[in-house]
Amino acid sequence: MHPKPTIRQCAFLLSIIALALLHVSPSWADVVVIVNPENPVNHLSLHEVKTIFMGRLRQLPETNQIIEVLDQAHTSLTFKTFYMDIIDINLSKLARYRASYVFSGQGTLPTELTDHQSIRQHVAQHNESIGYIDSQYVNDTVKVVFIWPESPSP
């Protein structure tokens, strides 16, 4: 017969589990940036992705095409992963940055869509759109131009 664990032992075990869960990051899944297959851009660098989604680049590189930036729902794990891990900005700083950006008249907020499928469908139907989704939702209706985590250069 096993002795019953003490409250202290249970609390310790729960704290270990909680810490382990905190370190489980949605960034383990590949997040990809997608465009329409007819779009001439085939690859974007991390720097280009950051400048596009922070609103500092309004045209796709090497084109004169104005970009329609799409965001996941602000409550989604993919949104949090994308901005915290890839763009490297915490969410409260992002909100302040975007508020100043919009109120200064320098730009508009990204269009927020509800989920991966709606972003994929919108990008597939609009050549000027760019968005990010979990890689498991990619199909032949869109073109991947950036993958996170990035593969090391050969």
Side-chain angles (χ1 to χ4, degrees):
M1 190 160 160
H2 296 285
K4 286 186 176 181
T6 66
I7 292 175
R8 177 176 272 175
Q9 289 170 328
C10 289
F12 176 74
L13 182 58
L14 286 174
S15 66
I16 295 296
I17 292 169
L19 284 173
L21 290 174
L22 285 175
H23 291 290
V24 172
S25 169
S27 65
W28 286 0
D30 288 347
V31 175
V32 297
V33 175
I34 57 171
V35 297
N36 185 286
E38 299 298 317
N39 192 301
V41 173
N42 291 314
H43 175 75
L44 293 173
S45 69
L46 176 58
H47 176 73
E48 290 167 329
V49 169
K50 286 182 178 188
T51 56
I52 288 169
F53 284 90
M54 291 302 289
R56 290 178 276 197
L57 187 60
R58 296 182 189 168
Q59 295 180 334
L60 286 171
E62 300 179 25
T63 73
N64 291 326
Q65 187 173 17
I66 301 296
I67 306 168
E68 178 192 21
V69 178
L70 305 175
D71 253 345
Q72 294 274 343
H74 287 73
T75 56
S76 78
L77 289 177
T78 304
F79 175 88
K80 293 172 185 169
T81 297
F82 185 77
Y83 283 100
M84 292 173 63
D85 293 353
I86 300 170
I87 305 301
D88 196 24
I89 187 170
N90 73 50
L91 299 181
S92 60
K93 187 174 180 179
L94 174 66
R96 288 191 308 272
Y97 175 83
R98 285 190 168 166
S100 68
Y101 181 74
V102 169
F103 292 126
S104 70
Q106 294 178 342
T108 59
L109 294 175
T111 301
E112 184 177 321
L113 298 177
T114 57
D115 56 29
H116 302 280
Q117 294 94 335
S118 60
I119 288 180
R120 183 187 64 214
Q121 183 178 6
H122 190 91
V123 168
Q125 295 172 353
H126 298 91
N127 193 29
E128 73 284 357
S129 296
I130 186 168
Y132 55 92
I133 59 175
D134 188 294
S135 62
Q136 69 180 332
Y137 294 96
V138 171
N139 63 21
D140 62 356
T141 65
V142 295
K143 178 172 42 172
V144 174
V145 293
F146 179 82
I147 300 172
W148 182 265
E150 287 184 295
S151 300
S153 298

